[in-house]
Amino acid sequence: MAAAVKAAAAKAAADGGTEGRLLAGRYRLGAVLGKGGMGTVWRAQDETLGRTVAVKELRFSTGVDEDEKRRLITRTLREAKAIARIRSGGAVTVYDVVDEDERPWIVMELIEGPSLAEFVRENGTLTPRRAAEVGLAVLDVLRAAHGQGILHRDVKPSNVLIAANGRVVLTDFGIAQVEGDPSVTSTGMLVGAPSYISPERARGQKPGPPADMWSLGGLLYASVEGVPPYDKGSALATLTAVMTEPVEPPKNAGPLADVIYGLLVKDPARRLDDDGARAMLTAVVNAPEPVAPPVVAPNAEETRQISLADAKEAADKAAAEKAEKAAEKAAKKERDRREREQRERARAALKSARKEAAAAAAAAAAAAAVPTASAAEAPASGKPSPVAAPLTDVMPRRTIAMAVAAVLVVLAAVGSLIAYVVGGDDEDGKKEQGKNGGKPTPVASGNVTPGGQGGTTQNTPPAASPNTPQNSPSSSANTGAGDPGTTSTSQGQGAAPGGAGGGLPSGFATVTDPGFHFSMAMPQGFHQTGIAGKNSGAIYSRDGGFPRIQVDYNDSPGSDARKAWMELERAVAGSSSGYRLIGINPVNYRNYPTVADWEFERVQDGIKVRVLNRGFKMDATHGYAIMISCPADQWDGAECTQMRNVAFETFQPLG
């Protein structure tokens, strides 16, 4: 009997704690709260102080050798030390560490509530505002930890607890890395959840605080989407995607999207830091949430009134609105048909007029050649050659005058038809540009490519969200103008801000491009040397190099220039050599409704170039981007500084 009791006790010690066991003479183990690969968390009662606590037990799996046991014990003690050093309301408080069965047991504050992963699984995703609140709480813990030289390295939804009172707590510093701790050794293993491991850790590089910021971005993504940003089914495939693939755009993030994108930047040097993330999360929390109108349940009498009177009125109104929209649609369709027919007739008339002009010119030339032909025939008759008579001696002056007048009339008709096809007014008084009139194809958002000779930028002015960029060569990188006759240059006079004409600085000339709806003063010698992207704008320079100015036009701009640049910035950064962001900031420019400057550097054509890209919306149909590029070492020089100032001061929209 004694042997059996002893054997049972030995088995209990080997298996670890059991319910009802008393640790260190004061902590009575209760129910199991959770189990992991290396340990079990128990609810326990501190019988000395009379409070409920959580006790984390370190468990050894079968077959673990002594070296591995020592390593696990060291990790557990390091976790307790790391938590004890953090001063934050979002971190669990460590009360005690006891040594039993030759291993440490951590006695901690008990947090009653589910993990964030459990909460989302059971209750659905968080709103962007609540997710931002959770993010700020986790950020507080990370700031305190990083201030102590501690990296968490395993920030994920299952390690965040949501207490019943709403408190958010970051737990499990079991794989934390503590700066200067001699007990930290590398085993060559990558620890942590693959979906939340940063790209630099996945590549085996030494991580810093930005690695925890990446994991926070993944946590926010999962909070509003219900799934991690990267999950390919296996650890290797997931880590490969983390390192190489763009994140799937979140669908439910709303105002939180910019924070998520900023935290999930693959380059840790450009990743959103603590201050930036804190400011953006705070803005999301403080933004007013849309309030749904109150729903008032009508009483029986009101229900009858709505059913009989109001419902009929609403139905009649809806029918009238539908009929009105149908009539407007039909009228627009008919108007478009008439305009199309008018343009076709005009083009046919233009073609006919050109033929008539050519015929009249040929007739005049033939008539002018008559005296010469007569004189040439004289030698054949054996008579002396007469002196060639002037045209007026062969053809009456009135006939010549009529021929010349006919040619001028035809040419005038050609000019009128060209004016109609290229820039004439339609029935509604709106300008209609023809196919050969130099107007670019209207720009839809998307396909943005880094600018440069042989690699231009479809520099979509702040409009609907751009798509993922692709590197593509310039559609027209020759040294001449894009469409002959669409760009004109005038010397000495320019448009001052606001539209009034004014003197230009010496060495500048006004460039007018009706095809892209603008005029602007540029350095003399600048001419169109390329077309941007898919005909969204034009590039101007002296020889196709730098400095250069690119102007893009969009006939359906969006309402947030800064947001458009931020969405585009990630794509340009990923496809540019030597890219360095200087800033994306809203600015005031002529009181336009939304304006933002995007400044960056990159290596282009073997030259380090600095770029200022100003995007702005004038109104519902006019959006522009003015991109000034200069060699970085000349950016603050007189030429580049004056070129920027004059460009922004003299820019004028057309049409």
Side-chain angles (χ1 to χ4, degrees):
M1 182 68 178
V5 171
K6 186 175 181 180
K11 185 177 186 301
D15 291 343
T18 56
E19 187 172 353
R21 178 177 178 177
L22 187 65
L23 295 177
R26 64 182 289 187
Y27 303 111
R28 183 76 64 184
L29 299 185
V32 174
L33 297 176
K35 288 186 178 182
M38 297 190 309
T40 301
V41 179
W42 298 82
R43 177 191 295 272
Q45 186 69 24
D46 183 350
E47 295 185 349
T48 300
L49 298 179
R51 63 181 175 185
T52 305
V53 295
V55 176
K56 185 171 185 178
E57 171 197 5
L58 174 62
R59 300 177 69 94
F60 300 133
S61 59
T62 304
V64 173
D65 59 25
E66 291 301 317
D67 287 342
E68 180 67 8
K69 286 182 180 179
R70 282 194 295 271
R71 189 179 67 82
L72 294 174
I73 290 171
T74 299
R75 175 184 290 180
T76 301
L77 291 174
R78 185 170 70 242
E79 176 184 6
K81 292 178 182 178
I83 299 174
R85 288 168 56 176
I86 298 171
R87 298 290 182 266
S88 171
V92 176
T93 302
V94 174
Y95 295 141
D96 196 2
V97 177
V98 299
D99 187 3
E100 288 212 6
D101 301 334
E102 297 182 348
R103 55 203 169 110
W105 302 62
I106 305 176
V107 182
M108 300 178 290
E109 171 189 14
L110 176 64
I111 306 297
E112 300 277 12
S115 70
L116 177 59
E118 292 169 336
F119 185 92
V120 171
R121 188 163 54 247
E122 295 171 5
N123 301 283
T125 57
L126 305 185
T127 65
R129 183 173 186 174
R130 179 53 179 155
E133 292 173 344
V134 171
L136 283 172
V138 174
L139 199 57
D140 286 340
V141 185
L142 293 179
R143 170 180 280 188
H146 295 165
Q148 294 292 325
I150 300 169
L151 300 181
H152 189 283
R153 300 203 301 171
D154 201 17
V155 177
K156 57 186 179 183
S158 59
N159 283 340
V160 174
L161 299 181
I162 310 294
N165 61 0
R167 179 185 169 201
V168 177
V169 181
L170 178 61
T171 67
D172 201 350
F173 280 75
I175 63 170
Q177 177 176 309
V178 183
E179 183 178 357
D181 188 341
S183 66
V184 177
T185 58
S186 174
T187 64
M189 298 296 291
L190 185 64
V191 290
S195 295
Y196 300 93
I197 288 178
S198 66
E200 61 269 27
R201 284 192 62 208
R203 294 188 180 96
Q205 300 169 355
K206 183 179 179 180
D212 281 346
M213 300 301 291
W214 168 282
S215 301
L216 175 61
L219 181 145
L220 292 173
Y221 187 104
S223 297
V224 295
E225 299 300 310
V227 294
Y230 293 94
D231 185 4
K232 300 298 182 179
S234 70
L236 183 59
T238 298
L239 290 174
T240 301
V242 165
M243 291 185 286
T244 62
E245 296 181 11
V247 67
E248 182 74 20
K251 302 177 179 63
N252 308 313
L256 204 60
D258 288 344
V259 191
I260 292 174
Y261 281 129
L263 291 170
L264 294 181
V265 171
K266 295 188 186 301
D267 182 356
R270 296 193 305 105
R271 195 170 299 151
L272 204 57
D273 61 9
D274 178 277
D275 290 337
R278 187 174 302 276
M280 296 176 73
L281 288 171
T282 301
V284 174
V285 171
N286 293 336
E289 290 188 322
V291 179
V295 178
V296 180
N299 57 34
E301 183 178 357
E302 290 171 338
T303 302
R304 285 195 300 272
Q305 291 174 344
I306 292 175
S307 300
L308 298 176
D310 293 347
K312 184 178 184 303
E313 181 181 349
D316 291 343
K317 182 178 180 181
E321 290 177 351
K322 184 176 181 180
E324 183 179 355
K325 289 180 180 179
E328 290 178 355
K329 185 176 181 180
K332 183 179 182 302
K333 185 176 182 180
E334 176 62 19
R335 186 165 59 248
D336 291 344
R337 184 189 63 78
R338 290 199 303 269
E339 291 172 359
R340 193 162 50 249
E341 290 178 352
Q342 289 176 350
R343 286 194 296 272
E344 290 172 356
R345 287 196 298 269
R347 291 190 185 99
L350 175 59
K351 185 176 181 180
S352 176
R354 283 173 175 164
K355 290 182 178 179
E356 292 179 11
V370 169
T372 305
S374 299
E377 293 170 357
S381 64
K383 298 180 180 180
S385 301
V387 179
L391 181 62
T392 51
D393 291 343
V394 180
M395 297 181 66
R397 294 179 182 271
R398 182 170 179 274
T399 303
I400 295 175
M402 290 177 65
V404 173
V407 173
L408 292 177
V409 168
V410 172
L411 292 177
V414 171
S416 299
L417 289 169
I418 292 174
Y420 173 79
V421 174
V422 174
D425 294 336
D426 63 16
E427 294 178 4
D428 299 323
K430 298 178 181 178
K431 291 285 186 180
E432 173 66 23
Q433 297 254 3
K435 290 184 180 178
N436 299 319
K439 178 178 178 180
T441 304
V443 180
S445 59
N447 290 344
V448 185
T449 319
Q453 187 67 19
T456 61
T457 300
Q458 183 178 325
N459 187 34
T460 308
S465 302
N467 295 328
T468 303
Q470 303 171 2
N471 286 328
S472 60
S474 168
S475 57
S476 176
N478 45 1
T479 57
D483 288 328
T486 62
T487 305
S488 63
T489 305
S490 61
Q491 305 280 343
Q493 284 295 113
L504 292 178
S506 176
F508 282 79
T510 298
V511 173
T512 301
D513 193 332
F516 294 112
H517 305 274
F518 79 93
S519 70
M520 174 194 292
M522 300 183 188
Q524 289 182 358
F526 268 47
H527 62 281
Q528 187 174 327
T529 54
I531 296 295
K534 295 182 178 179
N535 214 23
S536 66
I539 300 170
Y540 303 85
S541 63
R542 290 190 178 92
D543 55 7
F546 299 98
R548 69 174 54 162
I549 298 175
Q550 179 175 325
V551 181
D552 294 77
Y553 169 73
N554 191 339
D555 60 4
S556 56
S559 58
D560 191 337
R562 180 177 178 273
K563 181 178 179 182
W565 279 162
M566 290 185 69
E567 292 174 348
L568 174 58
E569 191 264 343
R570 287 182 295 276
V572 172
S575 55
S576 296
S577 174
Y579 178 88
R580 181 177 74 88
L581 175 65
I582 298 173
I584 298 178
N585 300 296
V587 296
N588 183 22
Y589 180 53
R590 302 187 184 177
N591 293 321
Y592 291 149
T594 179
V595 186
D597 279 358
W598 172 17
E599 292 189 65
F600 59 90
E601 289 182 350
R602 65 181 169 198
V603 177
Q604 204 168 334
D605 300 336
I607 301 172
K608 186 178 182 181
V609 179
R610 183 162 175 176
V611 179
L612 171 59
N613 203 352
R614 175 166 294 179
F616 52 93
K617 171 185 177 180
M618 290 179 50
D619 52 41
T621 58
H622 292 79
Y624 294 89
I626 302 173
M627 188 165 77
I628 312 291
S629 303
C630 288
D633 57 0
Q634 301 175 22
W635 183 258
D636 294 320
E639 179 183 13
C640 285
T641 299
Q642 187 180 32
M643 183 177 75
R644 292 194 302 273
N645 293 338
V646 171
F648 292 137
E649 289 173 1
T650 61
F651 170 82
Q652 289 296 319
L654 300 178

